[in-house]
Amino acid sequence: MSSRRLFFNEAIARALAEEMEREDKLVVLGQDVGAYGGAYKEFAGLYERFGAQRVRDTPVAEAATIGIALGAAAAGLRTLVSITYMDFLILGLEPLVNYAAKARYKTGGAVRVPAVVKTTAGAKGQGVAHAQCIESWLMGVPGLKVVAPSNPADAYGLLKTSLREEGPVVFVDHKRLFSTAGEVPETNEVSMPLGKAAIVRPGTDVTLAAHSYAVRIAVEAAERLEPAGVSCEVIDLRTLAPLDVESIGESVARTRALVTLEEGQPACGVGSEVAFRVRERLDVGIRVARVAARPAPVSSNAVLEAEVLPDAARVVETTLTLLEGR
Amino acid sequence: MPDRPDPVDLLRSMLLIRKFEEALAFQPDRGFQLLSSGEEAVAVGVCAALDDRDQLLSSGRSIGPALARGIEPHLVMAELLGKISGPNRGKGGRGHLASPDDGFFGAHAVVGGNLSIAAGVSLAAQLEGRGAVVACIFGDGACGAGALHETLNIAALWKLPLIFVCDNNGFSISTPVARGVAAERLSDLAIPFGIPRRTVDGMDVFAVYEAAREFADVARRGDGPGFLECRSERFASHSTSTRETRSNEELAAARERCPILHLGARLEADGTLDAAGRSALEKDVEELVSRAIRFSGEAPRPSPDDALSDVV
Amino acid sequence: MIFTLVVPGPIEDVEEIRVLEWHGEPGRRFAPGDVVVELETHKAIVEIRAAQAGILRRILHPEGSWQRLGEPLAILSDAESEPLPATPELGGKEWAVEFQIT
């Protein structure tokens, strides 16, 4: 299959352009998504191509914007609503959690909400309320799907799939990913199902499970551990809900050791859910450790930010400690 | 849609809500309900201004709006009593009753939570371009919520075909509106957004209808939203399990304003509906209600397995 | 003398760029201040200007191709007749440039 190298934000814009071309009812809403092209240019070109009716700038009103996007989807459109920073998604959790996630259930199937809430997580010097990774909050909401790609090809593939789902999907990208580049298949087909993890680096001694930007950290840690004789299998979760416990479990059944890595908080985090679900699944003894943000807000102060965020060095150290006396 | 609704139809619709709720109150397993008794004219007057293309959304006080919009009473009763024959297979109940095919897009039992959803439904209607409008009934309590102000702003900016209907029954559970919202007249909240507004007697079904009709016509023409405040009375406490905070005298005064009483007297006085006609009407309505009770009594409850269906 | 034009940096957030447009074919003589090439990041254009004179001898990365920061883009020389090294990537000292991000 032929492919083309794209920046991460270009992969998002391309997926949206293709889906908007295919589906007249798809409407994009959010702050600065119009002529400005999105805070990270991830909507570049859409306004010029599809016009102001379908690419709608919204006021600074996350709660109503999300509600409007979800209500419009419930009433027959398909919508993607952009919430610039995931911290502000908190303002719109009411319509997302209380209405959209439950709409199908509470109406006995009479109402579906085919909408994508796209939002950007991650710390990058902007401070405590522009930095959070709260995707684990959403994993426990019945009716929500949560997607968090780590590279342009997955962003493209998973966004296209998300835009064709019949229920609400939260699509989480990351500030540090937009400038990364990668090969994206030229095909216009949708072939990347939600709920499938990917082995991005095979290994035999320990499974490193991560999602979004943290996958890059996991790969870096795996490269550093190789000379020390530790072979790491890196798994990119890609979708957090539903979680591909089968693939992670299959890997951990071989390595017998699991290190989870995430940029969010450790308590009730993605890693604790992954580890518990893997333990429930396997009847063999496994070693488990987790790496996450330290339990503090993420400051805009570079020294403090670096201290709180997980990095490859902490993954290396945690992995070596876990495997001690193997 | 006829230019002016038949007053007897409006009376029938209000009577249906009243008698339906009286019968519901007698059901031993009725559970937690928010009743519309006293506030019938709001739902009925608004629905008289809507046509088949349109959608109505309500707060959790949904029984009046759902019946006024024309969902079959036996189906509403089944839903309220948790039977799988309800439009939502008994999963939504009163708080989340929905039947979009009947033009009742649904209740959402979070105060103010239905507003932005309704604006979204009206955006879909606007883009569809068939001239449909959306009405959203919410309580006075929602007027203190940010959701209203955010939604008013966007509805005005985008000229959404949306009628904001504030059913101001005077109380958020125990808090009088004067202590819950700083604005003296709730429709004044529309002023800064340039949205046309009216405050009407919510106990007068024609006053409600006429104002709602005016806003529906404006919205249908593409001229944007309207804000209709209906001053009503709730005849019971907030819910079937909430303590009443008003005195007997206050309640009696509220009941004096009964919309059914007033319309009935007027129709009798002007010769539209004589005593025989009235009793035939009551009998029709009682039969509908009896059928609803019978139907829902016989309808099955969901199986425990249904707890895990229609989730994702 | 032989020089190498490399992708300048650091550019905040950027690891990799795409070549947008070369301003001239091999053989063109650049004076200080001339725009040599425009590069694309994920959200900006980086305009590379000559900070010394030189003749463009060989383009290593045509328009639309990708390169990482610090890696070579082209070979230049002072004189037209200077022989190019067999492996151009290894050739010469870094050519002085200025860049502006817009």
Side-chain angles (χ1 to χ4, degrees):
Chain A
M1 195 192 301
S2 65
S3 68
R4 204 178 138 205
R5 198 164 183 82
L6 293 177
F7 286 115
F8 191 98
N9 54 352
E10 293 176 325
I12 288 177
R14 188 181 128 194
L16 263 168
E18 287 175 5
E19 290 303 300
M20 291 184 79
E21 190 63 53
R22 191 187 69 85
E23 172 58 87
D24 287 344
K25 288 179 183 290
L26 177 55
V27 172
V28 174
L29 306 94
Q31 290 164 36
D32 310 307
V33 300
Y36 187 66
Y40 294 95
K41 280 202 169 176
E42 70 272 50
F43 302 105
L46 298 179
Y47 178 84
E48 293 76 5
R49 188 162 160 192
F50 300 104
Q53 289 292 310
R54 294 183 64 197
V55 186
R56 305 178 82 95
D57 277 323
T58 60
V60 183
E62 282 82 1
T65 303
I66 291 176
I68 288 171
L70 300 173
L77 296 181
R78 283 183 171 271
T79 51
L80 178 138
V81 54
S82 166
I83 298 299
T84 308
Y85 294 136
M86 193 174 207
D87 314 69
F88 312 153
L89 179 61
I90 295 168
L91 294 162
L93 286 183
E94 196 288 305
L96 179 63
V97 173
N98 289 333
Y99 183 79
K102 295 166 178 65
R104 177 180 175 186
Y105 189 84
K106 73 181 191 166
T107 64
V111 172
R112 302 276 183 105
V113 184
V116 174
V117 180
K118 176 207 159 306
T119 190
T120 299
K124 198 170 155 298
Q126 288 170 298
V128 296
H130 292 65
Q132 294 166 90
C133 298
I134 54 170
E135 52 271 24
S136 68
W137 294 15
L138 305 171
M139 290 169 70
V141 179
L144 276 191
K145 292 183 176 171
V146 183
V147 174
S150 70
N151 61 67
D154 288 359
Y156 170 79
L158 293 172
L159 182 54
K160 285 183 71 104
T161 306
S162 299
L163 289 166
R164 297 189 192 188
E165 285 284 310
E166 290 305 313
V169 178
V170 180
F171 183 95
V172 185
D173 48 37
H174 190 291
K175 295 181 189 72
R176 294 183 199 261
L177 285 175
F178 292 116
S179 62
T180 66
E183 296 296 321
V184 177
E186 285 280 24
T187 170
N188 187 0
E189 291 307 301
V190 168
S191 55
M192 193 174 284
L194 305 190
K196 286 283 171 204
I199 295 175
V200 295
R201 191 180 196 279
T204 54
D205 295 330
V206 59
T207 301
L208 306 184
H211 65 280
S212 187
Y213 182 73
V215 172
R216 296 169 67 92
I217 299 174
V219 169
E220 188 189 337
E223 283 164 0
R224 289 205 213 169
L225 281 161
E226 195 166 12
V230 178
S231 165
C232 299
E233 180 146 297
V234 179
I235 290 200
D236 182 346
L237 301 174
R238 300 206 285 193
T239 303
L240 305 180
L243 194 59
D244 185 3
V245 189
E246 191 179 335
S247 297
I248 314 163
E250 192 274 326
S251 171
V252 179
R254 283 186 282 104
T255 63
R256 302 287 181 95
L258 169 67
V259 175
T260 66
L261 169 62
E262 68 199 289
E263 192 179 314
Q265 286 291 312
C268 303
V270 175
S272 50
E273 179 65 14
V274 166
F276 204 98
R277 297 272 290 278
V278 167
R279 269 190 187 277
E280 281 176 328
R281 187 180 177 84
L282 299 182
D283 53 9
V284 295
I286 58 170
R287 298 164 184 249
V288 176
R290 66 180 164 190
V291 179
R294 294 199 193 280
V298 187
S299 173
S300 57
N301 179 307
V303 173
L304 305 180
E305 181 185 274
E307 178 57 24
V308 170
L309 294 186
D311 58 14
R314 275 173 60 200
V315 178
V316 167
E317 188 191 329
T318 303
T319 305
L320 290 174
T321 306
L322 180 73
L323 297 182
E324 246 170 42
R326 229 181 341 167
Chain B
M1 186 164 59
D3 260 345
R4 195 177 164 81
D6 181 346
V8 177
D9 286 346
L10 300 184
L11 183 66
R12 181 198 306 270
S13 192
M14 293 196 291
L15 262 175
L16 174 64
I17 297 167
R18 184 71 57 85
K19 289 186 182 292
F20 181 99
E21 290 192 341
E22 284 167 2
L24 174 66
F26 275 104
Q27 298 304 301
D29 53 355
R30 66 169 197 280
F32 175 79
Q33 300 293 349
L34 271 64
L35 303 178
S36 298
S37 290
E39 301 168 55
E40 294 94 339
V42 177
V44 170
V46 168
C47 288
L50 302 179
D51 69 28
D52 289 348
R53 294 167 289 180
D54 303 335
Q55 289 289 349
L56 176 69
L57 290 90
S58 80
S59 67
R61 201 174 296 286
S62 66
I63 300 172
L67 291 173
R69 196 65 181 119
I71 308 180
E72 296 274 5
H74 65 285
L75 299 178
V76 176
M77 189 68 82
E79 185 64 35
L80 299 181
L81 297 177
K83 303 303 183 73
I84 59 168
S85 316
N88 313 118
R89 304 187 58 76
K91 286 180 161 175
R94 170 214 39 89
H96 301 276
L97 181 64
S99 185
D101 289 347
D102 291 311
F104 185 65
F105 205 82
H108 184 45
V110 174
V111 174
N114 56 349
L115 288 158
S116 62
I117 302 301
V121 177
S122 75
L123 172 62
Q126 184 184 56
L127 294 184
E128 202 183 28
R130 290 194 305 130
V133 305
V134 175
C136 181
I137 302 178
F138 53 97
D140 45 282
C143 291
L148 176 64
H149 303 268
E150 289 191 14
T151 307
L152 283 169
N153 183 43
I154 296 178
L157 285 170
W158 295 357
K159 288 194 181 305
L160 293 177
L162 177 60
I163 311 170
F164 292 84
V165 181
C166 178
D167 179 357
N168 177 3
N169 68 19
F171 293 91
S172 303
I173 303 186
S174 72
T175 305
V177 62
R179 285 202 286 119
V181 185
E184 209 164 296
R185 204 164 57 165
L186 300 184
S187 64
D188 287 351
L189 296 172
I191 294 175
F193 305 101
I195 294 175
R197 70 196 196 282
R198 294 275 300 277
T199 291
V200 301
D201 178 2
M203 308 305 271
D204 177 345
V205 70
F206 276 102
V208 174
Y209 161 74
E210 271 153 23
R213 179 64 195 267
E214 185 187 316
F215 287 138
D217 290 346
V218 167
R220 249 184 252 293
R221 280 203 306 269
D223 290 335
F227 190 114
L228 171 58
E229 177 194 5
C230 304
R231 292 195 170 162
S232 67
E233 305 279 359
R234 77 168 141 71
F235 284 179
S237 61
H238 167 72
S239 78
T240 50
S241 61
T242 310
R243 298 186 307 281
E244 180 56 73
T245 54
R246 294 167 292 180
S247 67
N248 287 338
E249 292 70 29
E250 286 171 308
L251 282 170
R255 292 204 172 100
E256 281 291 300
R257 297 182 60 217
C258 175
I260 296 171
L261 199 69
H262 283 278
L263 181 59
R266 200 170 112 193
L267 298 184
E268 194 180 356
D270 68 12
T272 309
L273 191 67
D274 61 15
R278 171 69 185 249
S279 91
L281 186 67
E282 301 229 357
K283 194 155 166 280
D284 279 359
V285 168
E286 278 157 14
E287 266 169 29
L288 279 175
V289 172
S290 304
R291 178 170 174 239
I293 294 290
R294 227 172 23 248
F295 174 85
S296 58
E298 288 162 6
R301 295 189 177 284
S303 88
D305 291 344
D306 291 329
L308 297 180
S309 66
D310 275 329
V311 175
V312 187
Chain C
M1 194 170 182
I2 302 290
F3 294 95
T4 306
L5 168 61
V6 303
V7 183
I11 304 169
E12 197 192 349
D13 302 339
V14 174
E15 301 172 351
E16 208 173 346
I17 53 81
R18 184 167 53 210
V19 178
L20 180 64
E21 189 182 356
W22 284 102
H23 286 240
E25 305 275 314
R28 179 179 164 187
R29 184 180 297 273
F30 288 95
D34 290 345
V35 177
V36 182
V37 63
E38 288 173 79
L39 310 174
E40 277 181 283
T41 75
H42 65 297
K43 62 175 187 180
I45 305 293
V46 184
E47 201 178 63
I48 311 288
R49 287 173 184 272
Q52 69 179 91
I55 299 165
L56 180 61
R57 300 292 302 279
R58 183 179 290 161
I59 290 173
L60 303 175
H61 287 278
E63 288 163 9
S65 66
W66 294 73
Q67 187 55 290
R68 302 185 79 79
L69 262 58
E71 297 293 320
L73 283 175
I75 305 295
L76 296 99
S77 63
D78 285 325
E80 224 163 316
S81 56
E82 285 175 83
L84 294 181
T87 49
E89 294 78 11
L90 303 176
K93 150 178 197 224
E94 196 174 311
W95 199 51
V97 296
E98 286 168 350
F99 66 96
Q100 191 179 359
I101 303 166
T102 50

